[in-house]
Amino acid sequence: MPDAALTNRRELLDYRSEFPILADTTYLINHSLGAMPAAAEQRMLEFTRMWKERGIRAWGEGWWEMPMTVGDQVGRIIGAPPGSTVMHQNVAIAEAIIVSCFRPVDPRRNRVVYEEGNFPSVRYLYQAQPEIEVVDVDDDRAIIDAIDE
């Protein structure tokens, strides 16, 4: 392994100490409720202090922009331009917002192709839309084949 890779790996492992549960546990449920960073407790206290002291004014003093601010931080990691990434509670909520913007005008173009291995709550969201036909496919290669006119 090249020296640079070892250095990067070692730096990544240094973050482990910031997640207290990892001292005693191998934690693999990152898709739902990831390991809590030690700093999160202090950040929650800051949030509740701001709520207690500033009330509704807190929205105008940073809360409203926070999903975009964090989105831009994630955007830098994934190479997205500023303003193009936003955070939501979870993927299902984000997709529900998107689905709420679209209704099939042409009943012949009402299909959503969905990879079966994706998190099921999003598929349930699509299936709950009476005007949408959900087509489940086995894997990403099958997506292209399932798309028609």
Side-chain angles (χ1 to χ4, degrees):
M1 194 177 287
D3 290 342
L6 282 174
T7 302
N8 290 338
R9 185 174 179 174
R10 188 165 300 122
E11 290 173 7
L12 183 59
L13 289 173
D14 289 341
Y15 286 101
R16 188 175 182 83
S17 63
E18 295 181 24
F19 299 85
I21 197 170
L22 299 181
D24 304 310
T25 306
T26 300
Y27 197 82
L28 300 176
I29 189 138
N30 294 322
H31 70 283
S32 180
L33 187 62
M36 185 180 103
E41 185 173 10
Q42 184 58 41
R43 297 301 304 258
M44 289 299 293
L45 289 172
E46 289 174 29
F47 171 81
T48 57
R49 179 199 52 76
M50 193 168 185
W51 184 6
K52 178 176 72 176
E53 294 174 4
R54 302 303 297 158
I56 194 74
R57 292 175 293 214
W59 284 104
E61 296 170 358
W63 286 2
W64 192 254
E65 294 86 9
M66 199 171 300
M68 284 81 69
T69 301
V70 175
D72 282 345
Q73 292 170 347
V74 171
R76 283 195 303 276
I77 294 168
I78 64 173
S84 66
T85 306
V86 67
M87 300 303 293
H88 283 282
Q89 298 91 323
N90 55 54
V91 172
I93 296 295
E95 292 214 28
I97 292 167
I98 293 168
V99 168
S100 75
C101 297
F102 299 100
R103 290 292 174 249
V105 177
D106 183 343
R108 297 169 297 168
R109 297 182 54 86
N110 68 339
R111 298 174 80 199
V112 172
V113 179
Y114 193 85
E115 187 178 342
E116 208 169 74
N118 286 339
F119 206 66
S121 63
V122 177
R123 184 175 61 244
Y124 304 152
L125 167 72
Y126 290 120
Q127 290 171 331
Q129 310 303 313
E131 66 274 7
I132 293 177
E133 175 190 351
V134 179
V135 178
D136 286 322
V137 296
D138 292 332
D139 57 34
D140 57 347
R141 289 183 302 263
I143 291 173
I144 300 298
D145 294 335
I147 297 173
D148 62 15
E149 293 304 316

